[in-house]
Amino acid sequence: MKPLRDNVHVWYCQIQSPEAWCAVEFVLSMEEITAGQRRHDKASKTRYWLAHSCIRLLIGHYINVDPRHISFQKNSFGKPRVVGHDISFSVSYTSNCFAIAFSKSGELGVDIEWLNPGFDFFPVATRFFGDDEIRSILCEEPTHQRRSFFEIHTLKEAYSKAQGEGLSFDRERYEFHKNPHAPQSRLCVDSEVSCINDKWSFHAVYLDLDLVASLAIDKPAPVCIETFHLTQDMYSQLIKRLQEY
């Protein structure tokens, strides 16, 4: 694992057996426990609690602080940041999975989506995507159009999360296209001024065959991105580290 200082780390977790993951109550604040309880079903509650316990545990690992003593502060749109430490993070959920991205070199956003085979994506694309984005989807082979849609969708959502503006963020203003010079990199075009946003970098991130994930990073390319699959054993090791604080 490279130091987080000049890199971005993305942790991905797939929850196969929720009952096997435990000890979240020893890490979370009462506010986080209550927020999880407001989720509509047991699976969503478990996913929320586990993801937020991992946020605390991993931040504690990066900055060498007891995860239970980490404080968060939200902006007016609800985006949290770590109080007193120069580390940014973003979390996204889909199905039984979640992903968390970390950076020490600027704001970032991550978004993941399950490639739902029953989802009718085209009405969404015609409502929220630009003409060039729709054309790029239709130019793909029919078997690849769904993935192409979700790549653009997750890029818009990741950029929105990074900006921290909530629903006020204008997703229709920014169009995303593949970068012919870098397979995993994406180009962002500001349609209001017809120019490429080269102050940020945007990336497709491979996590799993049935998932699409994207990153938006407040840093010009190139950016080094590392991905990690968070297993139950890794989680248990992070929990055991609590005894060291």
Side-chain angles (χ1 to χ4, degrees):
M1 182 190 301
K2 296 179 181 178
L4 186 60
R5 182 180 63 256
D6 298 317
N7 303 285
V8 173
H9 290 176
V10 181
W11 294 82
Y12 151 68
C13 178
Q14 189 169 19
I15 311 169
Q16 299 288 7
S17 303
E19 65 278 359
W21 301 76
C22 59
V24 294
E25 66 273 14
F26 298 114
V27 184
L28 298 176
S29 68
M30 185 55 64
E31 181 182 357
E32 290 165 326
I33 292 173
T34 302
Q37 289 172 338
R38 290 197 291 265
R39 301 286 160 150
H40 63 278
D41 58 54
K42 184 178 179 180
S44 297
K45 289 180 173 67
T46 300
R47 186 182 63 186
Y48 179 91
W49 285 328
L50 180 57
H52 282 260
S53 66
C54 289
I55 289 172
R56 284 185 172 274
L57 291 165
L58 289 167
I59 291 175
H61 167 74
Y62 285 125
I63 64 178
N64 196 28
V65 169
D66 188 333
R68 295 163 292 191
H69 297 161
I70 294 170
S71 298
F72 301 98
Q73 187 176 48
K74 295 180 180 179
N75 70 6
S76 58
F77 297 101
K79 181 179 180 179
R81 65 174 61 253
V82 182
V83 176
H85 295 278
D86 186 21
I87 183 170
S88 302
F89 71 94
S90 179
V91 61
S92 181
Y93 317 90
T94 186
S95 186
N96 66 332
C97 308
F98 63 84
I100 312 168
F102 297 95
S103 171
K104 284 190 174 182
S105 57
E107 296 295 338
L108 82 169
V110 65
D111 194 67
I112 59 171
E113 290 288 348
W114 170 51
L115 276 172
N116 184 350
F119 178 66
D120 185 8
F121 63 86
F122 197 71
V124 178
T126 55
R127 171 64 181 85
F128 293 106
F129 289 8
D131 292 341
D132 289 341
E133 290 174 319
I134 294 172
R135 278 192 288 269
S136 71
I137 293 173
L138 295 177
C139 286
E140 298 280 358
E141 293 293 329
T143 54
H144 295 159
Q145 288 180 0
R146 184 175 304 277
R147 179 173 290 275
S148 180
F149 163 82
F150 277 111
E151 282 187 356
I152 295 172
H153 171 73
T154 54
L155 284 162
K156 291 176 183 286
E157 291 302 309
Y159 194 22
S160 170
K161 291 179 179 181
Q163 292 283 357
E165 298 176 1
L167 295 176
S168 66
F169 180 77
D170 188 358
R171 291 162 175 77
E172 298 174 60
R173 173 177 171 176
Y174 302 96
E175 296 189 8
F176 291 90
H177 305 281
K178 292 182 178 179
N179 185 341
H181 306 294
Q184 296 304 112
S185 177
R186 298 295 182 264
L187 301 176
C188 175
V189 178
D190 185 337
S191 62
E192 285 195 359
V193 293
S194 299
C195 69
I196 293 175
N197 181 352
D198 56 4
K199 295 181 180 179
W200 286 66
S201 51
F202 305 90
H203 301 267
V205 182
Y206 180 81
L207 299 176
D208 193 85
L209 185 62
D210 295 327
L211 292 175
V212 175
S214 295
L215 272 174
I217 307 158
D218 184 11
K219 182 181 179 180
V223 175
C224 179
I225 300 168
E226 286 192 279
T227 61
F228 308 94
H229 183 193
L230 183 62
T231 65
Q232 185 183 335
D233 286 342
M234 289 180 181
Y235 178 79
S236 298
Q237 291 173 18
L238 289 169
I239 290 291
K240 289 178 180 178
R241 280 202 64 191
L242 292 176
Q243 301 173 5
E244 301 176 11
Y245 296 105

